[in-house]
Amino acid sequence: MRRNGRILICRRTAAQAHPLKWEFPGGKVEAGESPPEALARELHEELAVRAQIGDEMERYQFRYPGKSAILLIFYAVTDFAGEPRNCVFLEIRWVVPEELPGFDFLEGDVEFVKRLAKSM
């Protein structure tokens, strides 16, 4: 999610998997959903916003140690209704792209974060 040149990042709680890691809001696709529909649902659940999902930015497979590979898909979200409200995270923060590599992101997001910070 982007607003005024900043990107929204979210920090997991200590009780979640990958505790205290930073990530982009989103989640898993449920049966019968397309990836953009899943993202819109997740943004509503996690941040209480109604988002218009934009273009796909990148996709790749990533394997966490001891787990099956997962497909990560990143979308741009530049239009949303409502002010993001933290419903499930330890904290949420708007940051400029250049700041992204300074946060302790989920391992699966790190390469995307590096490319995103350089491209914006």
Side-chain angles (χ1 to χ4, degrees):
M1 291 179 62
R2 288 185 272 181
R3 179 173 70 185
N4 300 326
R6 295 181 178 268
I7 297 172
L8 185 69
I9 60 173
C10 306
R11 191 171 190 197
R12 291 179 174 220
T13 68
Q16 291 174 297
H18 308 280
L20 306 179
K21 293 282 189 176
W22 288 90
E23 64 181 338
F24 300 103
K28 294 181 176 64
V29 176
E30 294 181 356
E33 286 181 320
S34 68
E37 290 169 337
L39 179 55
R41 176 186 48 76
E42 290 281 354
L43 293 175
H44 182 67
E45 292 172 2
E46 295 175 354
L47 300 168
V49 296
R50 298 276 182 204
Q52 175 137 4
I53 309 307
D55 293 335
E56 181 178 316
M57 299 178 68
E58 189 167 335
R59 72 168 56 204
Y60 55 85
Q61 287 198 341
F62 185 83
R63 183 185 306 270
Y64 285 95
K67 304 276 186 171
S68 298
I70 57 172
L71 177 63
L72 299 173
I73 307 172
F74 299 90
Y75 289 92
V77 176
T78 56
D79 192 23
F80 54 90
E83 181 61 26
R85 183 169 41 92
N86 182 0
C87 298
V88 298
F89 299 102
L90 179 63
E91 66 180 298
I92 63 174
R93 192 180 298 183
W94 291 98
V95 300
V96 294
E98 298 80 21
E99 293 176 316
L100 290 171
F103 289 87
D104 186 18
F105 270 86
L106 289 169
E107 293 83 357
D109 292 355
V110 169
E111 289 305 313
F112 176 71
V113 164
K114 289 177 188 175
R115 286 188 287 277
L116 185 62
K118 289 180 185 176
S119 70
M120 298 191 83

